[in-house]
Amino acid sequence: MENHRDGAPASRRSCEGPWDRPRANSADEKGAPAFARRLTAYVLAFALGLGCASQSASPVGERSGKRASAKGIGAPMPSLVVKTLNGDRKIDLGSFRGKVVLVDIWASWCAPCLEEMPLLDDMAVRLKSKGVEIIAISVDEDKDDARAFLSSRPTWSLTLAHDPKGKVPEVLNPPKMPSSYIVDTDGILRYVNEGFDRGDIKKIESRLTALAGAKS
């Protein structure tokens, strides 16, 4: 079975760089110069209009390093537990054997996510009967920020989850926001879509449909 990571073409819009949310540097974050540097760079880029601007292409293939080899394409989706956005149940991302799953990592401060999320929600309606589950995980620290972002629709068909501590991106290490991970019926990560462009939707849906159709 084909395994693939989609890099970002020159026209793809994404929040490049570390996935860390833009937030105030709290008094209890002591001795964290790396975080401070990342935050300062992010804020400056955002102020210049570059935070979610067009990005150059990145290569297709797994990232180097132990994390990528352990949790990368062709490996099982790790057992990462998050709660639904309303907090009524827990979701284990490694427990969806028998279903094709799309795991999307997004945030309210990510401009391309504003376009992506409604399109994923429409896709969830179309693919529900095929046994496809779409889980959109907000990494906003404040749940109200995510809820405000989602207020554009009265209801959502995809599964909304919340990861305020960033456990999922700490393991999956998305290079851009948003990033989507397609998992097959055996729980194996098959595709990664880095960043988002409107043209990605057809490609993502085609891959989900193909994997769902391959289910024995």
Side-chain angles (χ1 to χ4, degrees), residues 82-150:
V82 294
K83 286 187 177 180
T84 55
L85 188 63
N86 60 18
D88 65 345
R89 63 187 175 93
K90 293 181 179 180
I91 301 171
D92 183 346
L93 301 182
S95 68
F96 286 88
R97 299 296 191 276
K99 274 191 173 184
V100 175
V101 180
L102 173 71
V103 176
D104 186 70
I105 301 176
W106 67 280
S108 63
W109 44 263
C110 166
C113 300
L114 184 64
E115 181 179 22
E116 179 204 39
M117 285 290 288
L119 296 174
L120 289 182
D121 193 51
D122 293 341
M123 186 192 302
V125 175
R126 293 192 298 270
L127 298 185
K128 183 177 181 180
S129 63
K130 299 181 183 295
V132 174
E133 180 93 10
I134 297 180
I135 303 170
I137 304 174
S138 165
V139 294
D140 288 286
E141 288 186 304
D142 190 337
K143 189 181 294 187
D144 287 340
D145 290 338
R147 285 173 172 161
F149 180 98
L150 297 167

Side-chain angles (χ1 to χ4, degrees), residues 18 22 25 27 41 50 77 84 110 114-115 124-125 133 138 154-155 158 160 164 169 173 183-184 191 211-213 215:
N25 195 11
L50 302 175
M77 172 62 81
T84 55
C110 166
L114 184 64
E115 181 179 22
V125 175
E133 180 93 10
S138 165
T155 60
L158 50 72
L160 295 167
N173 199 20
V183 183
D184 68 15
Y191 305 99
L211 287 173
K215 181 172 62 175

Side-chain angles (χ1 to χ4, degrees), residues 6-14 16 55-59 176 194-195:
D6 291 322
S11 62
R12 178 164 298 166
R13 294 177 303 115
S14 62
E16 187 79 55
Q55 307 296 336
S56 59
S58 64
K176 300 178 179 70
E194 302 174 356

Side-chain angles (χ1 to χ4, degrees), residues 142-203:
D142 190 337
K143 189 181 294 187
D144 287 340
D145 290 338
R147 285 173 172 161
F149 180 98
L150 297 167
S151 63
S152 60
R153 292 193 167 195
T155 60
W156 290 78
S157 297
L158 50 72
T159 300
L160 295 167
H162 189 215
D163 181 20
K165 294 183 179 180
K167 294 183 296 183
V168 174
E170 283 292 347
V171 173
L172 298 181
N173 199 20
K176 300 178 179 70
M177 291 289 289
S179 283
S180 298
Y181 298 80
I182 296 179
V183 183
D184 68 15
T185 55
D186 294 321
I188 303 300
L189 178 59
R190 292 301 179 192
Y191 305 99
V192 178
N193 199 74
E194 302 174 356
F196 179 75
D197 182 85
R198 181 171 284 268
D200 292 344
I201 284 294
K202 288 185 178 180
K203 176 174 57 181

Side-chain angles (χ1 to χ4, degrees), residues 5 62-80 170-173 187-189:
R5 177 183 297 276
E62 293 185 34
R63 285 184 300 277
S64 61
K66 293 181 180 178
R67 178 176 293 176
S69 63
K71 309 298 182 185
I73 295 171
M77 172 62 81
S79 178
L80 296 166
E170 283 292 347
V171 173
L172 298 181
N173 199 20
I188 303 300
L189 178 59

